[in-house]
Amino acid sequence: MTIGIDQIGMYSPHYYVDLAELAQARDVDPNKFIIGIGQSQQAVAPSAEDIVTMAAAAASEFISKVDTNKIGMVIVGTETGIDASKSAAVIVQHLLDLPENMRTYEIKQACYGGTAALMAARDYVALHPDRTVLVVASDIARYGLASGGEVTQGAGAVAMLVSAQPRILELHDDSQFISRDIADFWRPVYTDMAIAMGKYSNEQYVQFFQDVWANYKAATGHDLADFAAINFHLPYTKMGMKALRTVLPQADEATQNRLNEHYRIATTYSRRIGNIYTGSLYLGLMSLLDGASDLKAGDLLGMFSYGSGAVGEFFSMTLVDGYEKQLSPEDHEAFLDARTKLSVPAYEQMFLNKVPYSAADYSTDPAAITSRFRLTGVKDQQRKYVNQ
Ligand code: CAA
């Protein structure tokens, strides 16, 4: 029996800020943001969207096509939790009108949460091959106006249906993982803005990649030439390349060219959306599948997941015959093109208008464009959502 990704969908808010304009406003050379960091646009979430609404919107890309009675669990991976107790997953289940006969829960370990959810889903399907699991990685990356991390913000979600006999990608049971208690990036519970040790986090990301890759090679016998592409967690599009470059000399020229070109294609969506934390690795995967016309069934894809704090994991997947029939690249391109560009002052205003850390009632911006799922506000300390 094969197990893997049967369906995949994405969502990002309808607003973005242009990073050349942001650089000018911050008195920075635009080439630093566009070339040095590798980001050209950044998604901005209005107050009426949060991890719940984005998760539901990403899943709604395919949910009407699948048998929801077979879903045994909904797992949301996030590091932008909206409650320390109740999971986003149970609200997503409600908003999507899914049956009650399932488990719902949330997983946290920084940007690794999406991969943790995917692996839990695979293990569950191995025991219950007649059931499926809805995995959603949903996050809003915030560092603060004019902060060092501002250029690496973003917002969005990726949803995946994990099943037996998947129609897109078969997951292999070949993971190599490392956990080390380090302080490279974290988010205290009193704020929605992350604290990042910029340079140190970059170094740790590369170190974790080198270590899990070395372990993976030793355990499986695979080398770079076996992979059609290697996907990376993408806090910004230059980051994965910094890691890839450290191992490329191990490969022949044709392999190097192939991995470089597929890396470029895999970063297309992230370049326009920014960091979506738990979903970034899977947004890169979607960008690759949508954009690389030379991929074919049987191709092996490597996946490097990194979650600060920190956990790193390397695993692989194989493309399934007919996978392209399950994708809708034109819809994703059209969605990104149709977004509204915000001026820098309008972005700053939207950034600051958010659900406050207080017990007061709050109404979100009624004029904001959202998906059909919307956070209308907070009343009596409860978040209120609608499916419009
Ligand atoms: N033209 C072209 N390139 C330029 C340039 C110009 N005019 N000016 C600068 N650059 C280049 C620099 O040479 C540098 O390139 P290299 O990295 O290849 O050396 C690049 O632009 C960035 O410049 P700096 O290092 O000076 O950038 P910075 O000090 O402003 O910080 C950052 C960048 C560390 C990514 C910061 O934005 C940050 O802290 N972000 C949040 C933390 C983060 O994303 N860490 C990533 C690893 S942790 C992780 O992966 C988990 C997660 O999702 C957060």
Side-chain angles (χ1 to χ4, degrees), residues 6-39:
D6 185 69
Q7 295 294 310
I8 190 163
M10 64 183 258
Y11 179 77
S12 187
H14 290 249
Y15 300 96
Y16 73 93
V17 62
D18 180 276
L19 290 187
E21 291 177 17
L22 185 66
Q24 273 151 8
R26 301 290 180 251
D27 208 15
V28 171
D29 180 348
N31 283 337
K32 175 176 174 183
F33 286 7
I34 289 161
I35 300 166
I37 299 285
Q39 295 299 129

Side-chain angles (χ1 to χ4, degrees), residues 344-372:
V344 173
Y347 142 69
E348 291 178 340
Q349 199 181 0
M350 193 174 275
F351 184 91
L352 293 172
N353 179 10
K354 61 188 181 73
V355 178
Y357 278 84
S358 86
D361 286 353
Y362 170 80
S363 296
T364 60
D365 178 4
I369 305 166
T370 64
S371 72
R372 69 186 165 96

Side-chain angles (χ1 to χ4, degrees), residues 29 32 36 111 148 152 199 201-202 233 235-236 238 242 275 308:
D29 180 348
K32 175 176 174 183
C111 305
T152 62
K199 297 272 178 270
S201 68
N202 286 356
H233 165 56
Y236 53 98
K238 182 92 162 283
K242 283 173 188 262
N275 196 356
S308 289

Side-chain angles (χ1 to χ4, degrees), residues 243-260:
L244 179 60
R245 274 192 195 133
T246 66
V247 298
L248 275 182
Q250 299 171 7
D252 58 57
E253 199 181 330
T255 302
Q256 292 193 21
N257 292 341
R258 182 176 70 250
L259 296 181
N260 275 327

